[in-house]
Amino acid sequence: MQAFEYIPATTVNEAIAILHQQGDQARLISGGTDLIVQLREGRRKPKIVVDIKRIPEVNQLSYNLIDGLTIGAAVPCYKLYGSAVIKETYPGLIDAASLIGGVQIQGRATLGGNLCNASPAADSIPALIAHNAIAVVAGMNGERHIPVQDFCTSPGRTQLEPDEMLVSIQVPAPRAHSYGAYLRFTPRNEMDIAVVGVGVWVALDDTRVVITAARIALGAVGPTPLFVNEAGASLVGQPIGSQAIEKAALIAQLAAKPITDMRGSAEQRRHLVAVLTRRALDSAIARASA
Amino acid sequence: MSNKTVVQATINGEEVEFLCETRQSLLEVLRDVLRLTGTKEGCNNGNCGACNVILEGVLVNSCLVLGVEVQGKSITTIEGIASPQGLHPLQQKFLEHAALQCGICTPGVLVSAKALLDRHPHPSEHEVRHWLAGNLCRCTGYDKIVHAILDAADVMSAEVTK
């Protein structure tokens, strides 16, 4: 690993000032499970590594019925499933957080890092998109909010300017009878990278028979995680049942733009999109009906 | 360019101070600076678990932590598992079940198993296997490891109720 300067920042402004001054010569570290590997392999060669873990804002993890869930950018995955209220309210996010790497990765890795690393196959991003999450970003001119569905621009690239940092991820408070789910296909149950991932979120009416809102997002079938607005929209006003689900799964399948690589062929991935969309919708609807 | 930093941490209950380069991982610091060579280097990229340690009560891959990040933190390595009175029940059960062959993965597996039992004293077989997904062993086929851990959990809970 090449030498670098290590700066433990204590405020958002301090971290941003370093980014502003150093541009792409500086990288932020929180969990480090991606960055340290990139440094070791020489894929990134920053002169400065800024540790953000001592900044209070990026360590927030809070939930209330009005503001919903705030996940600080440096909150490791294990803290999400360590919270009973988050587990109960956002099981669709927990599905993803408990699949990223193994236990020892989840002890360090963060959803914020997963998002900023912008892998097309990131597990948490389709789940966050399905939950309509917003990225709270700080820069020299203050804060801006970017919907997670627009955050990633190409593999490894995001809307973040060189002198901006992700502070937190905001997940809206749940509507009545609404739940999410995330499913992925991997050859091995744990410690693997998604061949396809599907995040969904559905809201039911008070009778829990009719779908009033739905969102579907796909992972590993395009250069970025894909939000498939039409697939979710097709479910609105429909009674829960296999007909509506089949149609949404088909729309999701048509929206996928998979490639063939070492993890799977484009054909297999297209097939998996339909299967996983169906199953994830079944799971989210079952949660919302319970 | 040399960027050495003084770091203070508590390792296996003992306060230590060491000098490390910013680019050194916690794994390198443990082995090369502090000579705690029980922690092993396997893949060096977070896949195999041979370097697992407990950092502030949380299981982590020490190859994916920078030495400078542990300033003020508390760490348990394989050297801190046994007590002066003798082996930890996990270590004892690994011997009884012959849950190791070449031994390279063993320190990491033991540290993982300790972190599991600290959190879940009565794990099911499924929970043990799931928890160990990030510990690769190329010798044992895992079965003996899983049974040794389940057996140790039984012994430890029997000791607690005594």
Side-chain angles (χ1 to χ4, degrees):
Chain A
M1 209 187 289
Q2 64 149 28
F4 52 80
E5 190 183 345
Y6 169 83
I7 304 177
T10 54
T11 66
V12 170
N13 285 344
E14 184 189 353
I16 290 167
I18 297 168
L19 291 178
H20 184 66
Q21 219 169 36
Q22 302 292 333
D24 57 9
Q25 296 295 311
R27 288 301 291 183
L28 304 183
I29 186 168
S30 64
T33 52
D34 283 316
L35 183 68
I36 292 174
V37 176
Q38 292 163 0
L39 295 175
R40 191 169 283 136
E41 291 176 354
R43 278 190 280 150
R44 289 192 190 276
K45 296 178 176 173
K47 288 199 174 122
I48 297 176
V49 170
V50 184
D51 191 344
I52 62 167
K53 288 190 289 294
R54 298 185 196 182
I55 302 174
E57 290 92 326
V58 302
N59 285 302
Q60 306 173 73
L61 182 63
S62 63
Y63 166 74
N64 68 58
L65 273 170
I66 294 152
D67 304 318
L69 176 63
T70 301
I71 308 168
V75 173
C77 289
Y78 83 95
K79 289 204 173 166
L80 292 175
Y81 53 77
S83 153
V85 66
I86 297 173
K87 234 173 138 169
E88 200 181 295
T89 316
Y90 299 98
L93 295 180
I94 301 299
D95 288 343
S98 51
L99 276 177
I100 297 172
V103 177
Q104 55 272 57
I105 295 292
Q106 291 155 21
R108 287 266 290 174
T110 64
L111 294 199
N114 202 223
L115 179 56
C116 291
N117 202 50
S119 161
D123 285 309
S124 71
I125 305 178
L128 288 168
I129 294 172
H131 286 79
N132 211 1
I134 305 285
V136 178
V137 168
M140 295 298 285
N141 303 318
E143 233 174 54
R144 64 181 180 123
H145 291 187
I146 306 171
V148 171
Q149 69 195 51
D150 303 326
F151 193 82
C152 302
T153 52
S154 65
R157 293 192 185 277
T158 70
Q159 279 207 38
L160 284 179
E161 297 294 333
D163 59 357
E164 285 185 318
M165 68 175 272
L166 178 73
V167 176
S168 64
I169 299 165
Q170 303 282 350
V171 188
R175 299 163 41 153
H177 320 306
S178 77
Y179 274 108
Y182 175 77
L183 285 178
R184 70 173 186 187
F185 178 81
T186 49
R188 192 178 176 222
N189 283 343
E190 298 92 11
M191 293 289 291
D192 210 339
I193 293 171
V195 178
V196 172
V198 177
V200 306
W201 173 90
V202 295
L204 304 181
D205 70 343
D206 284 338
T207 62
R208 301 184 199 186
V209 173
V210 178
I211 298 168
T212 58
R215 293 172 62 87
I216 296 172
L218 313 177
V221 290
T224 63
L226 294 178
F227 172 49
V228 190
N229 190 25
E230 322 81 77
S234 78
L235 289 165
V236 177
Q238 301 295 315
I240 55 176
S242 58
Q243 213 177 347
I245 289 173
E246 284 297 336
K247 190 177 169 199
L250 187 66
I251 295 172
Q253 188 175 38
L254 290 171
K257 301 181 192 76
I259 55 166
T260 295
D261 66 11
M262 59 184 280
R263 292 202 184 86
S265 67
E267 190 190 354
Q268 182 196 17
R269 285 186 156 116
R270 259 189 291 272
H271 171 75
L272 286 168
V273 167
V275 173
L276 293 178
T277 302
R278 225 158 32 221
R279 290 184 191 168
L281 283 170
D282 282 340
S283 164
I285 288 169
R287 284 168 172 170
S289 315
Chain B
M1 185 163 57
S2 169
N3 268 310
K4 289 217 171 181
T5 307
V6 179
V7 178
Q8 286 126 3
T10 305
I11 298 183
N12 300 326
E14 215 171 296
E15 281 179 35
V16 296
E17 190 174 278
F18 56 85
L19 202 57
C20 80
E21 286 186 61
T22 54
R23 62 179 170 180
Q24 280 180 301
S25 67
L26 175 59
L27 171 62
E28 291 169 293
V29 168
L30 290 171
R31 290 184 56 86
D32 302 340
V33 180
L34 299 169
R35 312 307 288 175
L36 291 168
T37 54
T39 304
K40 302 303 180 198
E41 179 184 321
C43 67
N44 213 18
N45 64 18
N47 275 292
C48 79
C51 68
N52 281 3
V53 300
I54 299 171
L55 173 62
E56 294 285 293
V58 178
L59 185 68
V60 300
N61 299 111
S62 64
C63 73
L64 295 185
V65 178
L66 297 174
V68 286
E69 284 184 89
V70 304
Q71 167 62 40
K73 309 275 187 207
S74 163
I75 296 153
T76 303
T77 70
I78 184 64
E79 287 88 350
I81 303 278
S83 70
Q85 286 74 45
L87 294 177
H88 187 280
L90 278 164
Q91 293 170 311
Q92 188 58 44
K93 290 299 172 191
F94 267 56
L95 290 176
E96 288 172 19
H97 287 258
L100 65 155
Q101 287 179 35
C102 88
I104 275 280
C105 74
T106 310
V109 175
L110 283 167
V111 170
S112 290
K114 171 152 194 320
L116 169 66
L117 298 187
D118 286 349
R119 201 164 287 237
H120 307 287
H122 308 288
S124 66
E125 180 177 337
H126 178 81
E127 284 168 327
V128 173
R129 289 184 185 274
H130 179 80
W131 188 272
L132 290 183
N135 288 89
L136 301 185
C137 171
R138 303 286 83 156
C139 304
T140 61
Y142 302 100
D143 234 37
K144 292 174 174 183
I145 292 176
V146 172
H147 291 294
I149 294 170
L150 289 168
D151 202 1
D154 285 346
V155 168
M156 287 165 70
S157 55
E159 276 172 11
V160 170
T161 51
K162 246 187 235 169

